[in-house]
Amino acid sequence: MIPNTMKAMVLTGHGDIDKLEYQDVTTPKPGTGEVLVQVTATAKNNTDRKAREGLYPTRKGEMKSFQMGGKPTLVFPRIQGADIAGRIVAVGEGVDEERIGERGLLDFNIYANDRRDINLTPDYYGHGADGGYAEYVALPSDQFYSIPNPGLADAELASMGMCSYQTAMHMLTAAHIRAGERVLVTGASGGVGTALIQLCRIMGAIPYALSKQDKADSLLALGAEAVLDRSDMDSFVERVKAETGGKPFDAVMDLVGGEMTDLFIDTMIFDMNARDTYPRLSIAGASGGNISEILWTRIYLYQVQIFGVSHGTREEAEQLVAWIRNGQLRPVLHGAFRLSQLHQAERYFVNRGSNYLGKIVIVPDSQWEEHGKHWSLEND
């Protein structure tokens, strides 16, 4: 039986974690072309915090949420949580009832149209519509992909959600990464970074990770060719040369921004005679700062191609699902919190220590014993 009300963590306005309130709300009903999913795990993403705090400015001095379509879509109250895993418990009109019982993963995008190759005004579940920080959520049936893999737990499946993996995929496809190319992955220990390392290997590219050395063994095991210590950026280009045999990086996947970006460009242009393609910079984050000072002469004289990336396309989502189904992508799950403990999870995420790698997932309290307790981070 599907209850009339459910537990949810509701965002009541822009601000700190006190704006997240654990409440009883009405259980949604699936509309035409939708499925009702009982949530078993939802991965936490930094975009949850940034949207809550209004940290997506496109002009200096402004405070706003993510809004590429021209008007705000984050309205309150809102249930956040984009990377949703769970099971279909009801279907709306036009959806085959045989889908009831399917375990799956959401393509988190709210697409503006049916195009499969482009996504110009991205929005997402947990922002422009309610997401997975709840016991149930109504979702488009064609974006909830069946992932029956018995060896993959629900929490692990949520950790492979599209917010990180599809962003990583689009960073690589936008930059036209080819087999054999050397790629620097910044922010390598996070969700997008660990996805980038795996995806580079699937595509035949060679990923070099930028991270702290206490995470080197884990990143090397994941597929990094080498790990460059981010805590010591002195003589960074010389250290790159030592790891690559004196060859520049073909491309940089930048999740850091700030003053680092100019240094990342250095790693691609120190020997243009050793290149056979243009230097490429894909950027999908600014954890190191939202403003970078770069000489434009360096960009156009060295012909550096810059690709801004947010989210991805239906085609990329379908490819990722295929790789998850056949086991080519591995989950990188750091741990789990109960939904009622989301405040603790937020504090843990902001202050995460040196052992942090991969993703945190949020599990509804009613699902905790089966899908979350084994990976518990509570009271850490």
Side-chain angles (χ1 to χ4, degrees):
M1 296 293 293
I2 299 169
N4 293 324
T5 63
M6 65 177 184
K7 291 291 187 181
M9 190 64 75
V10 179
L11 180 63
T12 60
H14 284 302
D16 206 345
I17 57 175
D18 62 298
K19 296 295 185 180
L20 291 165
E21 299 181 7
Y22 193 52
Q23 299 179 359
D24 289 308
V25 301
T26 301
T27 303
K29 297 183 184 299
T32 301
E34 291 186 332
V35 293
L36 183 67
V37 172
Q38 184 173 34
V39 179
T40 52
T42 300
K44 174 160 176 42
N45 292 292
N46 199 35
T47 190
D48 298 329
R49 177 188 64 83
K50 294 182 71 174
R52 169 170 51 80
E53 295 181 3
L55 298 181
Y56 283 114
T58 53
R59 298 180 186 275
K60 287 185 179 180
E62 71 179 2
M63 175 180 173
K64 67 161 57 172
S65 66
F66 195 97
Q67 47 180 285
M68 300 299 101
K71 61 180 181 180
T73 60
L74 177 58
V75 295
F76 307 108
R78 172 67 77 221
I79 299 171
Q80 293 186 293
D83 287 334
I84 301 166
R87 285 165 173 76
I88 296 173
V89 293
V91 298
E93 184 178 348
V95 182
D96 193 335
E97 289 189 357
E98 289 189 2
R99 293 203 64 187
I100 293 174
E102 281 185 9
R103 194 274 294 263
L105 180 68
L106 174 69
D107 170 4
F108 76 126
N109 287 284
I110 299 174
Y111 294 105
N113 53 51
D114 292 332
R115 288 191 62 173
R116 299 178 65 255
D117 62 331
I118 198 168
N119 185 8
L120 292 176
T121 56
D123 201 353
Y124 59 96
Y125 285 87
H127 184 278
D130 284 340
Y133 290 162
E135 292 183 293
Y136 296 89
V137 62
L139 302 169
S141 63
D142 64 344
Q143 288 179 229
F144 191 74
Y145 289 93
S146 175
I147 312 284
N149 307 36
L152 196 62
D154 288 40
E156 292 174 314
L157 180 59
S159 77
M160 304 171 77
M162 296 292 169
C163 190
S164 291
Y165 278 80
Q166 195 187 49
T167 298
M169 179 79 166
H170 197 51
M171 292 179 80
L172 295 166
T173 57
H176 305 289
I177 298 301
R178 303 181 306 182
E181 292 192 314
R182 297 172 298 278
V183 179
L184 175 64
V185 176
T186 74
S189 64
V192 179
T194 54
L196 279 164
I197 291 170
Q198 293 190 67
L199 291 170
C200 278
R201 288 303 186 185
I202 289 175
M203 296 177 176
I206 307 167
Y208 292 79
L210 180 66
S211 186
K212 292 183 178 179
Q213 283 301 298
D214 53 12
K215 300 175 183 177
D217 288 345
S218 296
L219 293 170
L220 291 169
L222 194 61
E225 185 76 5
V227 179
L228 295 151
D229 189 355
R230 77 170 192 186
S231 63
D232 178 14
M233 298 304 288
D234 293 335
S235 305
F236 183 56
V237 172
E238 295 306 312
R239 287 191 287 125
V240 168
K241 290 178 182 179
E243 294 291 355
T244 64
K247 297 177 181 179
F249 288 129
D250 294 290
V252 174
M253 303 294 111
D254 188 7
L255 302 164
V256 176
E259 63 183 18
M260 294 282 206
T261 299
D262 203 37
L263 188 56
F264 298 152
I265 291 172
D266 284 339
T267 68
M268 296 190 289
I269 66 174
F270 62 76
D271 185 358
M272 293 299 288
N273 289 321
R275 305 190 60 91
D276 60 6
T277 59
Y278 295 119
R280 286 149 286 153
L281 174 74
S282 279
I283 185 161
S287 61
N290 202 29
I291 298 176
S292 302
E293 186 175 286
I294 301 171
L295 292 173
W296 281 112
T297 46
R298 280 163 54 80
I299 301 302
Y300 69 75
L301 291 176
Y302 287 100
Q303 302 185 81
V304 178
Q305 298 180 338
I306 300 177
F307 303 91
V309 172
S310 59
H311 302 186
T313 68
R314 294 178 188 271
E315 286 180 345
E316 290 162 342
E318 290 166 2
Q319 179 61 80
L320 288 166
V321 167
W323 285 333
I324 293 171
R325 285 172 175 164
N326 67 23
Q328 286 181 265
L329 286 172
R330 295 161 45 195
V332 187
L333 173 61
H334 181 69
F337 286 88
R338 276 178 285 202
L339 180 60
S340 63
Q341 299 301 307
L342 185 58
H343 286 195
Q344 184 186 348
E346 292 280 355
R347 288 191 291 267
Y348 184 97
F349 184 81
V350 171
N351 301 307
R352 54 194 184 271
S354 60
N355 69 330
Y356 186 90
L357 188 77
K359 302 290 287 189
I360 290 171
V361 300
I362 307 301
V363 176
D365 292 41
S366 57
Q367 301 290 325
W368 180 250
E369 290 295 321
E370 182 176 359
H371 296 294
K373 187 176 181 179
H374 178 73
W375 292 278
S376 177
L377 292 170
E378 292 180 5
N379 301 315
D380 277 12

